[in-house]
Amino acid sequence: MIARRDIGPVIRYPKSDLVDFPCTVGKDGMVTLHLYCPGADSVTVDAPGTALSLEKHGEYFDGEFFPGNGFIPLDIKVDGVSVLLKNLPIGFGSNHPINFLELPEPDQVIGNGKCPHGTVAMEYLDSRITGKLERLFVYLPPDYGVSEKRYPVLYLQHGHGENETVWVSQGKANFIFDSLIAEGLASPAIVVMANGMENYDLGDELYVGALDHFETFLISEIIPFIESKYCTFTDRDHRAMAGLSMGSLQTSLITIHHPELFAYAGIFSGFVQDIVNGSEKHVSKENLTRWTSELKLIFRAIGRDDPFIEYFESDSALLEPYGGSQVVKYYEGAHEWKVWRHCLHDFLMMVFR
């Protein structure tokens, strides 16, 4: 639903839902919003680094801003109430559906799409750990099923307030992997994405957690389920885990506790030390010695403008004496998807090689 001005012809859609293009993007990257909100008195848009009040013109509200590039989440408020507009792209964040913009990155790693594509399947697991029917997204590389070939597996986790869909819908993980496989830069592998958020209704409150049961859920249910249904290797040398932000802490905790199960860890914009509970048990000298010496790769990366960078640097100081196969990278950006896409892109080129 994003049209482009001054760069050639655009596709015109009928106004069956009484709205013209809600968003156009100029050559200079300036975004123009034209939102149909009949009966409203005010419309505001919050995006990273931007708080915009739109001007009312009849039943439409207009405004311009420069959001940068990549995945841009939007919080649109109509008369002070956050709403979801159907004429803008819809993703997931902050524990609910969100509108967003997707603007081309000058150094994007998604690829041009001109290559064989894998498949993203949805699986359902009736979990005794969570007490719910859990959904998994499973990426299968383009040549999966052509033969009886077995594949390594990457367990890939999202951040706080997100779910199992976002590495595909927002992270474009499948397209990144497709391009790397086609170019011979990554080994084909299965990628499993699970919901790492725990939600419990406590009457007047909703408990939202991430660390209480996920480790048990992954190890006792998800991994056995995947290895029983798909053509996978079942040894640690062919098993990796990675995650962004909250998912990076899950990755650290689980791979530190179980280096016998994982040979690779990817910690994207996140944490080795437990900043949620303040626990230091998992970062004992004995645990870190084993973790850094037994894993084939500990990949840690972050955006230079990430607000959590002080924790990242603290982790670097903690791990510096241990050596091992540690890789640390910095990217341009903050706590955002364009950084995490780069993290995944570079991590995929290093695992299972």
Side-chain angles (χ1 to χ4, degrees):
M1 280 292 186
I2 297 179
R4 297 188 174 276
R5 53 190 168 97
D6 301 325
I7 57 173
V10 296
I11 300 173
R12 288 291 180 180
Y13 294 89
K15 294 184 179 179
S16 57
D17 51 3
L18 300 179
V19 64
D20 199 350
F21 284 107
C23 174
T24 58
V25 184
K27 288 181 178 180
D28 58 357
M30 185 69 70
V31 168
T32 300
L33 295 176
H34 181 62
L35 305 182
Y36 179 68
C37 300
D41 292 321
S42 68
V43 176
T44 61
V45 177
D46 288 333
T50 299
L52 181 67
S53 294
L54 304 188
E55 294 184 6
K56 184 175 183 179
H57 296 102
E59 295 184 323
Y60 288 84
F61 288 79
D62 304 297
E64 289 188 331
F65 71 114
F66 183 77
N69 53 60
F71 179 90
I72 311 296
L74 302 177
D75 180 14
I76 300 171
K77 291 186 173 69
V78 176
D79 292 339
V81 179
S82 291
V83 300
L84 193 66
L85 297 186
K86 66 180 180 179
N87 296 105
L88 288 173
I90 297 174
F92 195 88
S94 302
N95 296 301
H96 57 74
I98 59 171
N99 286 127
F100 70 91
L101 303 177
E102 179 69 57
L103 303 176
E105 303 170 41
D107 58 345
Q108 71 174 7
V109 294
I110 298 172
N112 59 18
K114 296 180 180 179
C115 65
H117 292 290
T119 300
V120 179
M122 284 190 292
E123 293 285 358
Y124 293 90
L125 191 164
D126 194 359
S127 172
R128 62 177 179 80
I129 302 299
T130 68
K132 300 176 183 178
L133 183 66
E134 298 287 351
R135 181 177 62 176
L136 308 175
F137 273 35
V138 182
Y139 167 82
L140 304 172
D143 65 349
Y144 184 86
V146 174
S147 67
E148 295 183 359
K149 174 183 175 180
R150 294 190 176 274
Y151 295 82
V153 183
L154 165 62
Y155 294 89
L156 182 62
Q157 287 305 116
H158 57 81
H160 188 272
E162 298 173 337
N163 63 18
E164 69 278 8
T165 68
V166 298
W167 265 114
V168 173
S169 63
Q170 292 155 217
K172 312 300 182 186
N174 51 322
F175 295 132
I176 293 171
F177 211 171
D178 288 341
S179 296
L180 289 174
I181 292 171
E183 295 170 16
L185 298 176
S187 298
I190 294 170
V191 182
V192 178
M193 295 152 278
N195 189 347
M197 299 290 295
E198 300 175 66
N199 299 289
Y200 302 103
D201 189 348
L202 301 179
D204 293 337
E205 297 179 331
L206 178 67
Y207 168 81
V208 180
L211 304 178
D212 292 351
H213 302 108
F214 185 73
E215 182 173 332
T216 305
F217 178 40
L218 176 67
I219 292 171
S220 68
E221 294 190 327
I222 297 176
I223 292 177
F225 175 83
I226 293 298
E227 293 182 352
S228 68
K229 185 159 187 177
Y230 291 94
C231 292
T232 72
F233 292 104
T234 58
D235 61 297
R236 69 177 295 274
D237 287 345
H238 293 90
R239 195 181 293 127
M241 184 174 181
L244 70 89
S245 193
M246 178 197 77
S248 75
L249 180 54
Q250 292 173 327
T251 298
S252 296
L253 289 168
I254 293 172
T255 58
I256 287 173
H257 290 158
H258 298 281
E260 78 283 359
L261 295 179
F262 299 91
Y264 308 89
I267 300 164
F268 308 160
S269 297
F271 319 98
V272 174
Q273 298 172 84
D274 186 350
I275 70 166
V276 176
N277 298 312
S279 173
E280 298 182 357
K281 292 181 180 179
H282 71 291
V283 291
S284 66
K285 183 176 181 180
E286 178 183 1
N287 282 350
L288 293 184
T289 298
R290 185 183 178 199
W291 189 52
T292 55
S293 62
E294 293 189 14
L295 264 66
K296 293 183 176 182
L297 173 66
I298 299 172
F299 177 95
R300 299 174 50 247
I302 196 168
R304 299 184 190 278
D305 299 319
D306 195 302
F308 296 106
I309 199 164
E310 65 177 291
Y311 298 102
F312 187 86
E313 300 292 1
S314 176
D315 288 340
S316 294
L318 173 70
L319 295 173
E320 195 274 334
Y322 292 93
S325 298
Q326 299 185 53
V327 173
V328 176
K329 286 201 169 190
Y330 293 86
Y331 302 101
E332 296 305 318
H335 207 69
E336 57 184 315
W337 275 106
K338 68 179 179 182
V339 170
W340 302 326
R341 291 169 179 174
H342 280 271
C343 290
L344 179 64
H345 175 271
D346 291 355
F347 183 67
L348 288 174
M349 290 194 291
M350 299 180 188
V351 297
F352 312 131
R353 305 294 277 181

